[in-house]
PDB file of all heavy atoms in Angstrom:
ATOM      1  N   ARG A   3       5.541   5.258  -5.441  1.00 87.00           N
ATOM      2  CA  ARG A   3       6.037   5.011  -6.793  1.00 87.00           C
ATOM      3  C   ARG A   3       4.887   4.700  -7.748  1.00 87.00           C
ATOM      4  O   ARG A   3       4.888   5.125  -8.902  1.00 87.00           O
ATOM      5  CB  ARG A   3       7.056   3.877  -6.772  1.00 87.00           C
ATOM      6  CG  ARG A   3       7.734   3.679  -8.084  1.00 87.00           C
ATOM      7  CD  ARG A   3       8.917   2.742  -7.938  1.00 87.00           C
ATOM      8  NE  ARG A   3       9.588   2.646  -9.222  1.00 87.00           N
ATOM      9  CZ  ARG A   3      10.174   1.570  -9.662  1.00 87.00           C
ATOM     10  NH1 ARG A   3      10.227   0.492  -8.922  1.00 87.00           N
ATOM     11  NH2 ARG A   3      10.750   1.551 -10.832  1.00 87.00           N
ATOM     12  N   ARG A  18      13.641 -13.817  -1.885  1.00 95.00           N
ATOM     13  CA  ARG A  18      13.846 -15.207  -2.318  1.00 95.00           C
ATOM     14  C   ARG A  18      12.755 -15.659  -3.281  1.00 95.00           C
ATOM     15  O   ARG A  18      12.950 -16.611  -4.036  1.00 95.00           O
ATOM     16  CB  ARG A  18      13.915 -16.138  -1.114  1.00 95.00           C
ATOM     17  CG  ARG A  18      15.196 -15.947  -0.297  1.00 95.00           C
ATOM     18  CD  ARG A  18      15.234 -16.854   0.888  1.00 95.00           C
ATOM     19  NE  ARG A  18      14.213 -16.387   1.832  1.00 95.00           N
ATOM     20  CZ  ARG A  18      14.030 -16.877   3.042  1.00 95.00           C
ATOM     21  NH1 ARG A  18      14.772 -17.880   3.458  1.00 95.00           N
ATOM     22  NH2 ARG A  18      13.103 -16.401   3.837  1.00 95.00           N
ATOM     23  N   PRO A  28       9.211 -21.934 -16.819  1.00 95.00           N
ATOM     24  CA  PRO A  28       9.795 -22.651 -17.949  1.00 95.00           C
ATOM     25  C   PRO A  28      11.041 -21.902 -18.437  1.00 95.00           C
ATOM     26  O   PRO A  28      11.122 -20.688 -18.299  1.00 95.00           O
ATOM     27  CB  PRO A  28       8.692 -22.598 -19.014  1.00 95.00           C
ATOM     28  CG  PRO A  28       7.433 -22.347 -18.258  1.00 95.00           C
ATOM     29  CD  PRO A  28       7.833 -21.530 -17.072  1.00 95.00           C
ATOM     30  N   THR A  30      11.928 -21.528 -21.429  1.00 95.00           N
ATOM     31  CA  THR A  30      11.710 -21.032 -22.782  1.00 95.00           C
ATOM     32  C   THR A  30      11.437 -19.528 -22.768  1.00 95.00           C
ATOM     33  O   THR A  30      10.903 -18.997 -21.792  1.00 95.00           O
ATOM     34  CB  THR A  30      10.506 -21.752 -23.419  1.00 95.00           C
ATOM     35  OG1 THR A  30       9.367 -21.578 -22.565  1.00 95.00           O
ATOM     36  CG2 THR A  30      10.788 -23.234 -23.586  1.00 95.00           C
ATOM     37  N   VAL A  57       3.977 -14.568  -9.585  1.00 98.00           N
ATOM     38  CA  VAL A  57       5.093 -13.742 -10.050  1.00 98.00           C
ATOM     39  C   VAL A  57       5.180 -13.892 -11.558  1.00 98.00           C
ATOM     40  O   VAL A  57       5.152 -15.007 -12.085  1.00 98.00           O
ATOM     41  CB  VAL A  57       6.426 -14.168  -9.391  1.00 98.00           C
ATOM     42  CG1 VAL A  57       7.603 -13.416  -9.991  1.00 98.00           C
ATOM     43  CG2 VAL A  57       6.363 -13.947  -7.889  1.00 98.00           C
ATOM     44  N   ILE A  61      11.393 -13.827 -19.881  1.00 96.00           N
ATOM     45  CA  ILE A  61      12.629 -14.454 -20.364  1.00 96.00           C
ATOM     46  C   ILE A  61      12.818 -14.095 -21.836  1.00 96.00           C
ATOM     47  O   ILE A  61      11.928 -14.355 -22.656  1.00 96.00           O
ATOM     48  CB  ILE A  61      12.576 -15.989 -20.198  1.00 96.00           C
ATOM     49  CG1 ILE A  61      12.378 -16.346 -18.716  1.00 96.00           C
ATOM     50  CG2 ILE A  61      13.834 -16.645 -20.760  1.00 96.00           C
ATOM     51  CD1 ILE A  61      12.188 -17.818 -18.452  1.00 96.00           C
ATOM     52  N   GLY A  66      18.098 -14.642 -21.626  1.00 86.00           N
ATOM     53  CA  GLY A  66      17.587 -15.392 -20.478  1.00 86.00           C
ATOM     54  C   GLY A  66      16.628 -14.568 -19.649  1.00 86.00           C
ATOM     55  O   GLY A  66      16.050 -13.594 -20.129  1.00 86.00           O
ATOM     56  N   PRO A  67      16.456 -14.927 -18.363  1.00 89.00           N
ATOM     57  CA  PRO A  67      15.524 -14.199 -17.504  1.00 89.00           C
ATOM     58  C   PRO A  67      15.992 -12.759 -17.311  1.00 89.00           C
ATOM     59  O   PRO A  67      17.154 -12.519 -17.003  1.00 89.00           O
ATOM     60  CB  PRO A  67      15.569 -14.954 -16.175  1.00 89.00           C
ATOM     61  CG  PRO A  67      16.300 -16.210 -16.433  1.00 89.00           C
ATOM     62  CD  PRO A  67      17.088 -16.034 -17.687  1.00 89.00           C
ATOM     63  N   ILE A  68      15.070 -11.807 -17.490  1.00 91.00           N
ATOM     64  CA  ILE A  68      15.476 -10.412 -17.309  1.00 91.00           C
ATOM     65  C   ILE A  68      14.733  -9.717 -16.174  1.00 91.00           C
ATOM     66  O   ILE A  68      15.250  -8.768 -15.599  1.00 91.00           O
ATOM     67  CB  ILE A  68      15.319  -9.590 -18.601  1.00 91.00           C
ATOM     68  CG1 ILE A  68      13.865  -9.567 -19.041  1.00 91.00           C
ATOM     69  CG2 ILE A  68      16.230 -10.082 -19.687  1.00 91.00           C
ATOM     70  CD1 ILE A  68      13.542  -8.396 -19.916  1.00 91.00           C
ATOM     71  N   TYR A  73       2.439 -10.127  -9.568  1.00 96.00           N
ATOM     72  CA  TYR A  73       1.452  -9.839 -10.616  1.00 96.00           C
ATOM     73  C   TYR A  73       0.073 -10.323 -10.185  1.00 96.00           C
ATOM     74  O   TYR A  73      -0.064 -11.413  -9.645  1.00 96.00           O
ATOM     75  CB  TYR A  73       1.869 -10.541 -11.912  1.00 96.00           C
ATOM     76  CG  TYR A  73       0.970 -10.272 -13.077  1.00 96.00           C
ATOM     77  CD1 TYR A  73       0.976  -9.037 -13.713  1.00 96.00           C
ATOM     78  CD2 TYR A  73       0.093 -11.240 -13.540  1.00 96.00           C
ATOM     79  CE1 TYR A  73       0.149  -8.779 -14.779  1.00 96.00           C
ATOM     80  CE2 TYR A  73      -0.742 -10.998 -14.615  1.00 96.00           C
ATOM     81  CZ  TYR A  73      -0.708  -9.757 -15.229  1.00 96.00           C
ATOM     82  OH  TYR A  73      -1.540  -9.505 -16.296  1.00 96.00           O
ATOM     83  N   ILE A  74      -0.937  -9.514 -10.439  1.00 96.00           N
ATOM     84  CA  ILE A  74      -2.323  -9.885 -10.184  1.00 96.00           C
ATOM     85  C   ILE A  74      -2.925 -10.344 -11.512  1.00 96.00           C
ATOM     86  O   ILE A  74      -2.996  -9.560 -12.465  1.00 96.00           O
ATOM     87  CB  ILE A  74      -3.138  -8.694  -9.633  1.00 96.00           C
ATOM     88  CG1 ILE A  74      -2.494  -8.105  -8.376  1.00 96.00           C
ATOM     89  CG2 ILE A  74      -4.593  -9.106  -9.404  1.00 96.00           C
ATOM     90  CD1 ILE A  74      -2.562  -8.981  -7.162  1.00 96.00           C
TER      91      ILE A  74
END
Side-chain angles (χ1 to χ4, degrees):
R3 187 169 183 214
R18 290 179 290 186
T30 56
V57 174
I61 301 175
I68 61 157
Y73 183 73
I74 305 290

